[in-house]
Amino acid sequence: VEASIPEPQREAWKRNQITSFTDKDGFEKEVVRHVETTLARSMFNCDEIAAYSATSLAFRDRLITHWNRTQQRQTYRDTKRVYYLSLEFLMGRALDNAMLNVGLKNVAQDGLAELGFRIEDVVKQEHDAALGNGGLGRLAACFLDSLATLNFPAWGYGLRYRYGIFKQEIIDGYQVEVPDYWLDFNPWEFPRHDVTVDIQFFGQVNKKTVGGKTISVWEAGEIVQAVAYDVPIPGYDTPTTNNLRLWSSKASGGEFDFQKFNSGDYESSVADQQRAETISAVLYPNDNLERGKELRLKQQYFWVAASLYDIVRRFKKSRRSWNEFPDQVAIQLNDTHPTLAIVELQRILVDVEGLEWDNAWEIVTSTFGYTNHTVLPEALEKWPVGLVQHLLPRHLQIIYDINLFFLQSVEKAFPDDRDMLRRVSIIEESQPKMVRMAFLAIVGSHKVNGVAELHSDLIKTTIFKDFVEIYGPDKFTNVTNGITPRRWLHQANPRLSELIASKCGGNDFLKDLTILNQLEKHVEDKQFRKEWAEIKYANKVRLAKHIKDTTGVVVNPASLFDVQVKRIHEYKRQQLNIFGVIHRYLSLKAMTPDQRKKQLPRVSIFGGKAAPGYWMAKQIIHLINSVGAVVNKDEDIGDLLKVIFLEDYNVSKAEMICPASDISEHISTAGTEASGTSNMKFVLNGGLIIGTCDGANIEITREIGESNIFLFGNLSEDVEDLRHAHTYGSHTIDSDLDKVFNEIEKGTFGTPHDFSAMIAAVRQHGDYYLVSDDFHSYIETHQLVDEAYRNQDEWIAKCITSVSRMGFFTSDRCINEYAEEIWNVEPLVVDRH
Ligand code: KOT
């Protein structure tokens, strides 16, 4: 690496190499320097925000030095890189994570204490980076942590939204959305104004003859500029610091179109600028739903084109032949959102670089892998052909050609199956015609994976069945999701992490999570159980305080904490949970005071955002809050039942909530939740789960043992028949659920009309999510939970056993599987310095 600096200057550069701080004094010096120079403040007006900013800047300087060395090393060794394309990266806070990953949190804690600050308060000043909706975005963030920790040469590519997921406020029991402007002061990004890419939209395609060859030229469109912003991603206990590159949109030609400006057309020059900036302005707030908006397609192409330009530019520096592209580059598509990358790379290779179609297509398909995250039909992306034609005329031609060659090969293999061609065509012959993005992603990739075993089986037997026939089963694989134990155990639950370390021979388990299995031999250790229980209790006290501070409701930390936090969606069935809560309330009300005394106190905790346009999800939030308003002030009930809705669930709240749960709910209709990842977070933090046989719950059960999980409900294989029976047979509602409905309709929880649609969905509209079918089993299983919790000693033993068997669910295991089975990349081993 050094050799790249000319001999005469080398000595001066080496002599002045930056040395990062390693101790308290060094850290304090940096903080004071940043307070007094970068922030232009003084020790006399340094508040917690300034302390946060200066601490972050001190760590940022450290990261960027390691970032530089990592990039130099990767460039020098010229090995294959992974590019993870995701429209969402739900990163949460960076400071705490950076301090822990570089192993200097204690140093910072002591240093800040000497300067007059508590590190917990300083860390809390940071705004979450919330560039995602839920599981899909958080998975991308966990993957970045694992890629860096395992020393893979890897880059994330995303959009730098000015507004991330909205902030949720609950006003009079209803969700209100408030914009999340998070970029005010963000020390974690480096603007790269020198890295800009011109992105074209609209225009037309002209044929031209160059050297006897006819080529297609895409011309006369509108240009928008993409500007790169880099976010350093530190690995845990390694100098490797990878890059997340986020693109921001800007009008081309600088601030204004000066010609328009000078000719007096000031307004329209500002309007042009605003239109360009709109592209990266806001994250679409839908989880598991695609609404086919033009701006969303613009976002997708803008981000994909900028990223590919960058990737191709980096590859070209190595002066290798195009056929080596797939040996140097692996691109993973996080769902179908970046599928246009397939078309864009084909366009670059054929139109710009002049490769033959077949040669180019071989390179393209060897480069891409596609991860599917959902089977819900409303979430599968389809774009109207007319819209693609208008926005990206050349890309539509290429899509048609890809489809033509694909269908020709299918016809050859299945000569007598006309319907097969209709079924698998990338173009759906509907009114209007649509481009099916998942099919395009399959055809343009060499591997397709689901995110949990059941889910990967389901895609092979349902939505992608025909493609398994066409390509054979080997193109389809499973990579069960995982979570990073650094953030979700070490950072979120430091006391538990420390207790575990004391039994597992130090912190190595954070890099090899299977080491957790050493806990199992201590399960019978009374002192260990006691410490374990104390930590859980302390975490519950912390959450109880947060509940008191934010809702005013006092909850008893000795109660069983029952938690369901995730996006609000009918398939995730928060309605089943709240109906169950009402059932519990009615049962308690029907008891004598003596009977009540024998009951186990419970706190039902909900949290999660509803997509702003998802009316039914908003009704569910309203019902939860309405039930809470009645139950929480009912003096007959007291501590026996509290119902809490926590406002604005996000990554940093999850870090507080997961460690405080006794039981968490993962109760989706079987076959609908592709994986789920919060189920893993809750078990890893010493909580048990109640769940359906869905997604990763099934593999969690296999790992931790059936006696350590509360499973209930119908199985995925029976769902279709049940739905059919609801629609075509006679549909009777569970009698206990019926009583719950009657109580709601009596007005016990406010105006019954507000909730009539939720009830009608079950009674009149075929109960698509099987709430009634699973209700009895759900209630019975909650009774088992109560009974089990009464025996605290055994409960704690179950928790410890479960944690000891969770090693499989680290995102490190996941990333190693992707690396081996899909990317064919190896880590770049680094010496420590
Ligand atoms: C789909 C369209 C737009 C935005 C988000 C999605 C989406 C999210 N599709 N699947 N997911 C979730 O992905 C997680 C990570 O794999 C899964 O654990 C979860 O079950 C999916 O619902």
Side-chain angles (χ1 to χ4, degrees):
V1 179
E2 276 166 28
S4 62
I5 308 171
E7 176 69 47
Q9 292 104 55
R10 201 176 299 165
E11 185 48 41
W13 282 99
K14 276 191 78 173
R15 185 161 22 96
N16 291 302
Q17 225 186 45
I18 289 175
T19 47
S20 311
F21 66 86
T22 50
D23 58 9
K24 176 169 60 72
D25 293 346
F27 167 74
E28 287 178 18
K29 263 204 181 63
E30 287 299 287
V31 170
V32 171
R33 182 174 69 81
H34 278 302
V35 169
E36 300 211 340
T37 63
T38 321
L39 303 174
R41 311 260 288 229
S42 73
M43 59 186 277
F44 306 108
N45 69 351
C46 179
D47 54 11
E48 277 171 350
I49 296 179
Y52 157 73
S53 306
T55 306
S56 297
L57 291 166
F59 275 91
R60 181 185 80 160
D61 288 349
R62 240 193 109 77
L63 293 192
I64 205 66
T65 324
H66 287 282
W67 183 96
N68 263 317
R69 291 179 193 152
T70 304
Q71 300 314 317
Q72 280 163 17
R73 189 163 52 231
Q74 292 177 4
T75 307
Y76 181 70
R77 304 266 189 99
D78 199 25
T79 54
K80 185 169 183 175
R81 283 193 179 89
V82 178
Y83 297 104
Y84 197 79
L85 268 56
S86 179
L87 254 194
E88 305 190 7
F89 286 95
L90 201 44
M91 304 296 284
R93 291 179 178 146
L95 176 58
D96 205 5
N97 184 248
M99 294 190 298
L100 288 166
N101 276 17
V102 304
L104 289 171
K105 185 166 179 182
N106 290 334
V107 164
Q109 180 164 11
D110 297 347
L112 284 169
E114 283 196 358
L115 295 168
F117 296 96
R118 288 181 40 203
I119 196 165
E120 304 82 35
D121 302 332
V122 170
V123 159
K124 275 193 224 142
Q125 302 305 313
E126 184 171 352
H127 204 101
D128 274 34
L131 307 186
N133 277 287
L136 175 139
R138 183 54 231 177
L139 186 76
C142 283
F143 281 6
L144 292 182
D145 184 78
S146 286
L147 284 161
T149 300
L150 297 170
N151 303 305
F152 281 102
W155 284 48
Y157 276 107
L159 272 184
R160 179 178 177 271
Y161 302 108
R162 194 142 29 98
Y163 297 93
I165 190 67
F166 61 86
K167 236 175 90 53
Q168 178 193 53
E169 287 180 8
I170 302 296
I171 296 177
D172 298 333
Y174 289 95
Q175 167 174 300
V176 173
E177 299 95 21
V178 179
D180 161 61
Y181 183 76
W182 69 291
L183 290 172
D184 220 11
F185 173 74
N186 177 12
W188 302 103
E189 63 174 15
F190 292 87
R192 304 282 192 197
H193 294 292
D194 52 326
V195 184
T196 61
V197 185
D198 283 349
I199 307 296
Q200 185 174 205
F201 292 101
F202 309 109
Q204 65 266 324
V205 182
N206 299 314
K207 294 260 182 218
K208 286 204 175 136
T209 314
V210 183
K213 225 175 123 179
T214 315
I215 55 164
S216 299
V217 195
W218 176 25
E219 290 174 317
E222 175 185 312
I223 304 289
V224 177
Q225 248 181 28
V227 184
Y229 286 74
D230 288 346
V231 182
I233 309 292
Y236 173 75
D237 194 26
T238 169
T240 300
T241 304
N242 281 339
N243 197 26
L244 168 60
R245 179 158 282 181
L246 302 175
W247 298 104
S248 185
S249 61
K250 207 177 115 179
S252 70
E255 299 283 299
F256 304 107
D257 180 332
F258 278 97
Q259 217 153 16
K260 275 189 187 170
F261 182 63
N262 289 332
S263 66
D265 201 357
Y266 178 74
E267 276 180 4
S268 103
S269 82
V270 175
D272 285 353
Q273 182 196 349
Q274 284 178 345
R275 206 152 44 88
E277 288 177 4
T278 304
I279 293 180
S280 62
V282 53
L283 165 81
Y284 275 90
N286 305 314
D287 189 85
N288 269 291
L289 178 71
E290 268 303 328
R291 303 221 297 173
K293 289 273 194 275
E294 173 171 340
L295 182 61
R296 167 89 166 179
L297 186 62
K298 269 189 139 177
Q299 287 187 333
Q300 293 185 350
Y301 179 67
F302 170 81
W303 149 64
V304 147
S307 306
L308 265 182
Y309 185 88
D310 210 41
I311 293 167
V312 166
R313 172 169 61 187
R314 201 167 298 123
F315 170 78
K316 284 175 99 172
K317 279 194 199 155
S318 72
R319 306 189 159 279
R320 291 166 186 265
S321 101
W322 282 110
N323 289 326
E324 289 179 84
F325 192 80
D327 305 328
Q328 293 301 106
V329 174
I331 304 178
Q332 192 63 26
L333 306 174
N334 197 22
D335 216 285
T336 53
H337 316 148
T339 300
L340 283 171
I342 289 169
V343 190
E344 175 70 0
L345 183 58
Q346 182 71 4
R347 185 186 73 82
I348 293 171
L349 294 178
V350 173
D351 291 359
V352 183
E353 302 292 337
L355 272 65
E356 293 300 324
W357 178 278
D358 288 348
N359 185 200
W361 188 239
E362 176 65 32
I363 293 168
V364 168
T365 53
S366 309
T367 299
F368 288 99
Y370 155 52
T371 306
N372 171 278
H373 293 268
T374 182
V375 294
L376 300 188
E378 65 271 30
L380 297 181
E381 280 189 293
K382 289 178 189 177
W383 292 106
V385 164
L387 178 59
V388 181
Q389 160 76 48
H390 178 58
L391 197 65
L392 303 165
R394 178 58 185 145
H395 293 76
L396 186 68
Q397 291 180 344
I398 295 173
I399 291 170
Y400 266 96
D401 285 344
I402 293 170
N403 195 37
L404 175 72
F405 296 129
F406 167 63
L407 290 180
Q408 281 173 351
S409 74
V410 175
E411 193 171 23
K412 238 188 189 159
F414 303 87
D416 306 314
D417 198 346
R418 297 293 314 166
D419 199 58
M420 169 77 107
L421 298 180
R422 182 191 60 77
R423 290 198 308 271
V424 301
S425 173
I426 293 168
I427 306 297
E428 179 183 272
E429 297 293 328
S430 46
Q431 209 35 268
K433 290 185 187 173
M434 303 288 244
V435 183
R436 296 157 157 166
M437 300 309 270
F439 291 5
L440 179 55
I442 296 172
V443 174
S445 303
H446 67 287
K447 278 275 178 187
V448 177
N449 76 285
V451 291
E453 268 175 26
L454 173 69
H455 169 65
S456 297
D457 286 343
L458 281 174
I459 61 178
K460 283 198 277 188
T461 51
T462 61
I463 52 175
F464 302 151
K465 185 166 176 280
D466 291 319
F467 292 88
V468 177
E469 285 222 3
I470 293 166
Y471 290 110
D474 290 352
K475 181 160 178 162
F476 296 83
T477 187
N478 170 248
V479 183
T480 298
N481 281 168
I483 57 170
T484 169
R486 272 77 63 182
R487 182 175 292 260
W488 296 112
L489 182 52
H490 194 46
Q491 181 183 320
N493 203 343
R495 284 187 65 193
L496 190 65
S497 182
E498 203 180 321
L499 178 63
I500 291 171
S502 76
K503 302 289 176 194
C504 290
N507 273 338
D508 282 359
F509 74 97
L510 291 171
K511 286 201 283 186
D512 174 3
L513 204 62
T514 60
I515 293 175
L516 284 177
N517 65 13
Q518 291 183 24
L519 287 178
E520 201 151 352
K521 59 177 180 282
H522 302 284
V523 176
E524 299 302 324
D525 180 340
K526 287 270 159 353
Q527 180 58 26
F528 177 48
R529 284 193 193 183
K530 192 168 154 258
E531 286 172 40
W532 189 284
E534 275 169 15
I535 292 169
K536 177 61 76 180
Y537 190 80
N539 289 331
K540 289 168 70 175
V541 169
R542 180 172 65 157
L543 180 57
K545 179 171 185 310
H546 176 81
I547 291 171
K548 171 78 206 306
D549 291 347
T550 54
T551 69
V553 179
V554 177
V555 301
N556 178 358
S559 317
L560 189 161
F561 279 18
D562 170 347
V563 181
Q564 187 175 18
V565 285
K566 48 184 88 225
R567 287 299 290 252
I568 312 293
H569 208 298
E570 285 165 284
Y571 87 81
K572 293 176 189 283
R573 296 202 293 190
Q574 283 91 355
Q575 71 276 41
L576 173 61
N577 187 341
I578 193 63
F579 294 153
V581 169
I582 296 173
H583 177 266
R584 179 176 286 262
Y585 175 62
L586 298 180
S587 309
L588 288 169
K589 287 294 271 186
M591 287 176 192
T592 65
D594 273 351
Q595 283 173 313
R596 278 188 203 137
K597 283 198 189 102
K598 296 187 201 127
Q599 301 305 306
L600 195 76
R602 220 186 235 252
V603 184
S604 271
I605 299 165
F606 294 81
K609 294 172 186 179
Y614 192 170
W615 184 79
M616 189 68 95
K618 290 183 153 181
Q619 298 300 106
I620 294 173
I621 292 176
H622 184 217
L623 178 59
I624 295 167
N625 281 296
S626 304
V627 172
V630 171
V631 172
N632 296 344
K633 65 171 204 300
D634 189 328
E635 283 170 8
D636 294 346
I637 301 301
D639 272 356
L640 289 181
L641 184 61
K642 293 283 184 233
V643 183
I644 305 296
F645 192 95
L646 289 176
E647 207 169 63
D648 198 38
Y649 176 60
N650 60 13
V651 171
S652 53
K653 301 242 169 58
E655 289 167 19
M656 168 177 57
I657 295 166
C658 294
S661 140
D662 293 308
I663 192 125
S664 62
E665 310 236 359
H666 308 275
I667 58 177
S668 49
T669 311
T672 61
E673 189 72 277
S675 164
T677 43
S678 75
N679 41 8
M680 302 166 191
K681 294 164 198 168
F682 281 103
V683 180
L684 190 61
N685 279 284
L688 301 184
I689 65 186
I690 178 168
T692 44
C693 293
D694 199 17
N697 292 353
I698 296 171
E699 288 148 89
I700 292 175
T701 307
R702 191 176 65 204
E703 293 292 311
I704 70 177
E706 245 180 304
S707 56
N708 295 315
I709 188 167
F710 298 91
L711 290 177
F712 74 96
N714 284 282
L715 301 180
S716 148
E717 64 230 51
D718 300 320
V719 169
E720 207 186 286
D721 288 349
L722 284 164
R723 283 181 179 157
H724 187 87
H726 294 171
T727 315
Y728 300 102
S730 71
H731 185 205
T732 48
I733 303 299
D734 177 271
S735 59
D736 284 323
L737 183 59
D738 219 49
K739 286 183 197 138
V740 169
F741 287 171
N742 293 337
E743 196 69 27
I744 295 172
E745 287 176 331
K746 261 170 54 186
T748 305
F749 307 106
T751 322
H753 177 259
D754 287 358
F755 312 115
S756 58
M758 288 174 62
I759 296 176
V762 176
R763 280 196 177 139
Q764 275 113 47
H765 303 138
D767 190 14
Y768 188 76
Y769 297 101
L770 274 49
V771 170
S772 173
D773 304 83
D774 284 347
F775 194 71
H776 186 69
S777 164
Y778 180 63
I779 296 299
E780 271 189 347
T781 308
H782 263 305
Q783 266 147 22
L784 297 180
V785 171
D786 279 348
E787 281 163 38
Y789 195 75
R790 287 176 189 283
N791 188 339
Q792 268 298 295
D793 220 36
E794 256 182 54
W795 181 276
I796 299 292
K798 280 181 196 289
C799 296
I800 296 172
T801 308
S802 300
V803 171
S804 76
R805 299 175 180 173
M806 282 297 286
F808 181 75
F809 298 100
T810 168
S811 44
D812 297 345
R813 185 263 316 148
C814 243
I815 287 301
N816 280 320
E817 285 182 19
Y818 278 98
E820 285 241 328
E821 308 252 321
I822 301 175
W823 302 331
N824 191 29
V825 287
E826 266 159 30
L828 217 171
V829 181
V830 285
D831 344 310
R832 245 152 232 298
H833 36 250

